[in-house]
Amino acid sequence: MTPERHDATETSPERHGAVAGSRVLVAMSGGVDSSVAAALCLRAGHDVVGVTLKLWGGPQDQGCCAVSDVDDARRVCQQLGIDHFVFNYAAEFERDVVEPYVDAHRRGRTPNPCIACNRHVKFDVLLDRARRLGFDRLVTGHHVRISSLSGRRRLQRGADSAKDQSYVLYMLSEADLADLWFPVGDYRKHELRTLAAELGLRTAHKPESQDVCFITEAAGRERFLVERIDLHPAELVDAAGQRVGTAPAVELVTVGQRKGLDLGGAPQRRYAVDVDIAARRVTVGGASELAAPGVRLVDHRWAVDPVEGEVLAQTSAHGPALPAHVDAEGQLRWAEPQRRVAAGQAVVFYKGDEVLGGATAAGHLT
């Protein structure tokens, strides 16, 4: 059985310069997606080398790039008959991912470390090294595609909408896309597993891992942070400022959170609607109080030029893309009020399946 390729004419490697015989470096996490990406590169006639990144030297029992993942990637490369290397970017990962993650919590923000890792490590440091080593393309197993519009490259959603990863790659520029290839973006997940099984790859039925790699399941986020920053108890107040409960650590509360808030057995559902780190105070309210007309945004990254007008906006990796309007300053207003977006989270703009750009939430509009 050969899995069907979806919309291949828009994303074929030849269309983007990865002609047969190109030298490609495949970032291999030890999962099925990157394993099949390497196999597809071989099938297309490329000179393929696999690389796995050593990013985290601390305790690890979940997430990508654990010792077992490195071993799986190495063995898949052996099965495919290609070279495999390990690049150590632990220092860069600590500097650009872990330290900002900790600092964000200190400042009352809710970071997305996977986006930071993609931006600063995989598609900055690693992509630059691939170029310097003379590779024609850096290949990854992300579920996204590259399309051409009037001769210009654009990032777009993967064929499998349930696995689409364009949200966490919104920062990729046209110059980046010129040196990238995402071969699995044309396939559904079940098709990739079928192909991996046909090839006898050891990762064919390996479960997916979507947790933060440097937070162990056994210890959790609180244990990780308490070893790096001071955590402070918070009082919970309602919209009128009346004390209604407590939270063990204000640094661990995120806008929209409901669990972990001691509200003294209040029957109605209440959520964190505002977090004040300096005052060590969390304002709580019902679902209606959690809604806001828009999002205040900073650190915009545009695919080409800044966008003004109607867009679809997505605020989590697998959340819906909802109608909204972006103004000349890059601030976003929803077509209808939506749940507040926690400061530090990414907001990504789309036109259909095409990524227009994205930004970081800094608060809500009134």
Side-chain angles (χ1 to χ4, degrees):
M1 173 183 176
T2 300
E4 177 186 358
R5 193 174 188 193
H6 303 272
D7 299 327
T9 56
E10 284 299 309
T11 55
S12 65
E14 294 78 8
R15 187 178 181 90
H16 299 293
V19 296
S22 293
R23 190 163 179 255
V24 300
L25 181 67
V26 183
M28 302 188 69
S29 66
V32 64
D33 295 331
S34 57
S35 299
V36 174
L40 291 172
C41 290
L42 282 174
R43 174 180 288 183
H46 300 303
D47 178 9
V48 182
V49 174
V51 62
T52 302
L53 306 185
K54 176 177 173 54
L55 300 177
W56 179 241
Q60 186 176 41
D61 59 13
Q62 59 184 349
C64 62
C65 305
V67 173
S68 60
D69 295 316
V70 176
D71 187 54
D72 283 338
R74 177 179 59 82
R75 294 195 180 193
V76 166
C77 287
Q78 290 176 341
Q79 289 181 285
L80 295 175
I82 63 176
D83 289 334
H84 175 256
F85 297 93
V86 176
F87 291 172
N88 189 335
Y89 290 141
E92 291 85 351
F93 187 76
E94 176 74 27
R95 180 192 67 209
D96 296 325
V97 180
V98 178
E99 289 180 4
Y101 176 87
V102 173
D103 185 60
H105 282 87
R106 182 186 290 113
R107 295 184 293 118
R109 300 170 72 83
T110 304
N112 189 319
C114 293
I115 289 180
C117 183
N118 285 327
R119 174 181 291 179
H120 298 294
V121 181
K122 294 174 184 173
F123 298 105
D124 185 357
V125 177
L126 179 59
L127 179 56
D128 179 66
R129 189 167 182 179
R131 289 165 174 153
R132 289 187 288 106
L133 290 173
F135 287 95
D136 299 299
R137 290 289 184 275
L138 173 64
V139 174
T140 77
H142 286 96
H143 283 262
V144 292
R145 295 178 286 183
I146 301 173
S147 62
S148 288
L149 182 64
S150 301
R152 306 191 71 171
R153 292 174 176 83
R154 299 287 187 273
L155 185 71
Q156 70 176 76
R157 295 187 186 278
D160 191 335
S161 59
K163 300 299 178 182
D164 169 57
Q165 292 173 293
S166 58
Y167 174 85
V168 297
L169 297 183
Y170 76 87
M171 77 296 297
L172 293 178
S173 68
E174 187 172 17
D176 294 330
L177 296 177
D179 294 330
L180 295 171
W181 181 23
F182 306 107
V184 306
D186 293 321
Y187 298 92
R188 316 293 185 193
K189 184 75 175 196
H190 69 88
E191 295 172 332
L192 297 175
R193 290 201 182 277
T194 296
L195 180 54
E198 289 177 350
L199 294 171
L201 301 183
R202 62 185 284 116
T203 55
H205 304 293
K206 184 176 179 178
E208 292 185 85
S209 179
Q210 299 177 337
D211 295 301
V212 177
C213 63
F214 55 87
I215 303 293
T216 65
E217 185 176 13
R221 180 178 58 140
E222 181 175 358
R223 178 67 179 272
F224 177 83
L225 289 171
V226 79
E227 294 176 352
R228 291 163 174 80
I229 61 173
D230 293 331
L231 300 181
H232 304 91
E235 66 170 354
L236 307 181
V237 300
D238 61 19
Q242 288 290 111
R243 182 185 174 99
V244 294
T246 60
V250 67
E251 293 84 0
L252 298 180
V253 179
T254 187
V255 167
Q257 178 178 330
R258 183 170 66 88
K259 294 182 179 180
L261 304 179
D262 183 3
L263 290 163
Q268 68 272 33
R269 288 191 173 188
R270 292 190 182 182
Y271 305 83
V273 299
D274 187 66
V275 179
D276 188 333
I277 287 286
R280 299 177 187 173
R281 181 183 299 116
V282 176
T283 303
V284 299
S288 61
E289 295 168 281
L290 186 59
V295 189
R296 184 163 54 86
L297 299 170
V298 296
D299 191 22
H300 294 75
R301 302 294 179 99
W302 301 106
V304 186
D305 299 317
V307 171
E308 181 179 358
E310 305 307 311
V311 299
L312 296 174
Q314 186 170 323
T315 62
S316 62
H318 299 291
L322 301 174
H325 182 277
V326 177
D327 66 21
E329 286 72 45
Q331 307 307 303
L332 180 139
R333 284 194 177 273
W334 300 109
E336 297 180 0
Q338 299 294 330
R339 186 187 182 104
R340 295 184 187 187
V341 181
Q345 289 291 288
V347 178
V348 181
F349 314 124
Y350 292 85
K351 179 181 179 181
D353 283 347
E354 178 190 341
V355 176
L356 301 175
T360 302
H364 63 278
L365 298 178
T366 56

